[in-house]
Amino acid sequence: MNAILAVRNLEKTFGSVVAARDISLDVPPAQTIGIIGANGAGKTTFVNMITGHIKPSKGSIRFEDKDITGLPSRAITRLGISRSFQVAQIFPSLTVRENLCVAAAIARGKDSILACALQPLHSPATIAEAGGIIELFQIAGYRDVLASTLPQGARKLLDIAMAVSGWPRLLLLDEPTSGVSVEEKFAIMDVVMSALRSRKITILFVEHDMDIVARFADRVLAFYDGTVIADGTPAAALADPQVQAFISGTKRAAGSQGSATHA
């Protein structure tokens, strides 16, 4: 099967600092990939290059066999790549439904930000799309609630739901369980993954919680010092000696018990 995303020899330098080096990988359609690594390992730099927020210094990025290397983020979004952020990017003074109407109108915008802002926010098509996403992400109970008053779990669901407006084929999630309570994290991820997989969206998610990675990823990319040091199933990647030594902190003497769950 052809890769939906193909990265070759990707590198990013900031002066003398190498933030990403020699990254090459293929991502097949509908795969869910967990991205792990300590702070400063290159995870965010990698995501920012894919989504057009920074330009690579070297290498190439192809999405659905189109060269997107160095394209601006708006152009990449229009091609079918979207993302959410660690801190929810929502409009706090609007209701959940209004947030999703705005996101739907922007997703349909073809040109400038001004043109997007002039899209009708309450057209039948926009309202129908917002309603469908509300149901899919199981936030109907918050439909008319101001976003500023939402509990953290619902804020996360709204943020990701907004990123899905326009139905991208590739979605990058930045720490989807950050700020969510231990009691909520698995339930939130169950909703998110069920919604995205029902639409066959390819998912790359950055996560520090190894329990979340082990449960929800089909594949794990482990970053260290700007490069990928392990790429495989969760079981294989999390058992890799370099991952245990540099990321998960679970490397221990043979036969000893116990492990850490957070990087």
Side-chain angles (χ1 to χ4, degrees):
M1 184 177 293
N2 292 334
I4 189 172
L5 180 71
V7 173
R8 294 291 180 271
N9 308 118
L10 206 60
E11 183 173 300
K12 180 61 183 179
T13 57
F14 297 96
S16 61
V17 176
V18 181
R21 71 183 82 213
D22 196 27
I23 301 173
S24 296
L25 57 93
D26 290 331
V27 177
Q31 190 170 66
T32 299
I33 297 178
I35 300 175
I36 64 173
N39 292 334
K43 308 182 304 295
T44 300
T45 298
F46 174 69
V47 169
N48 284 340
M49 287 189 286
I50 300 300
T51 54
H53 287 80
I54 60 175
K55 293 184 178 181
S57 304
K58 179 183 175 183
S60 66
I61 307 167
R62 299 188 70 84
F63 173 66
E64 295 181 333
D65 210 29
K66 301 181 186 71
D67 189 349
I68 64 169
T69 312
L71 289 181
S73 59
R74 180 65 186 161
I76 288 175
T77 299
R78 287 200 300 266
L79 289 173
I81 298 177
S82 188
R83 72 175 293 180
S84 72
F85 294 85
Q86 183 177 351
V87 177
Q89 305 292 298
I90 60 179
F91 300 100
S93 62
L94 301 181
T95 67
V96 166
R97 178 167 55 183
E98 288 168 339
N99 267 274
L100 287 165
C101 284
V102 170
I106 291 174
R108 287 201 304 274
K110 300 299 183 183
D111 299 301
S112 67
I113 296 298
L114 176 61
C116 295
L118 295 176
Q119 295 289 318
L121 300 185
H122 298 289
S123 69
T126 299
I127 292 171
E129 182 174 345
I133 294 176
I134 284 171
E135 295 297 330
L136 191 64
F137 280 85
Q138 301 179 31
I139 49 177
Y142 298 105
R143 187 189 310 268
D144 297 313
V145 174
L146 288 178
S148 61
T149 67
L150 292 173
Q152 186 60 29
R155 287 172 68 93
K156 279 287 187 180
L157 288 174
L158 175 59
D159 178 49
I160 296 170
M162 290 175 68
V164 168
S165 294
W167 296 114
R169 276 92 68 201
L170 175 63
L171 179 65
L172 295 98
L173 306 176
D174 191 356
E175 297 194 34
T177 64
S178 174
V180 175
S181 69
V182 173
E183 293 77 15
E184 287 185 294
K185 66 180 183 178
F186 288 113
I188 294 294
M189 285 297 287
D190 280 334
V191 172
V192 169
M193 291 302 170
S194 175
L196 300 181
R197 287 169 174 168
S198 73
R199 296 297 182 113
K200 294 181 169 51
I201 294 174
T202 306
I203 308 161
L204 277 70
F205 70 99
V206 176
E207 185 55 70
H208 284 281
D209 190 313
M210 298 298 108
D211 290 334
I212 293 292
V213 172
R215 177 164 171 172
F216 293 101
D218 302 321
R219 173 183 172 191
V220 172
L221 299 176
F223 278 73
Y224 177 73
D225 194 28
T227 193
V228 176
I229 60 172
D231 178 358
T233 65
L238 295 178
D240 185 281
Q242 291 189 93
V243 171
Q244 293 183 346
F246 300 133
I247 301 173
S248 65
T250 59
K251 189 171 184 179
R252 56 197 183 275
S256 65
Q257 301 298 315
S259 67
T261 60
H262 295 272

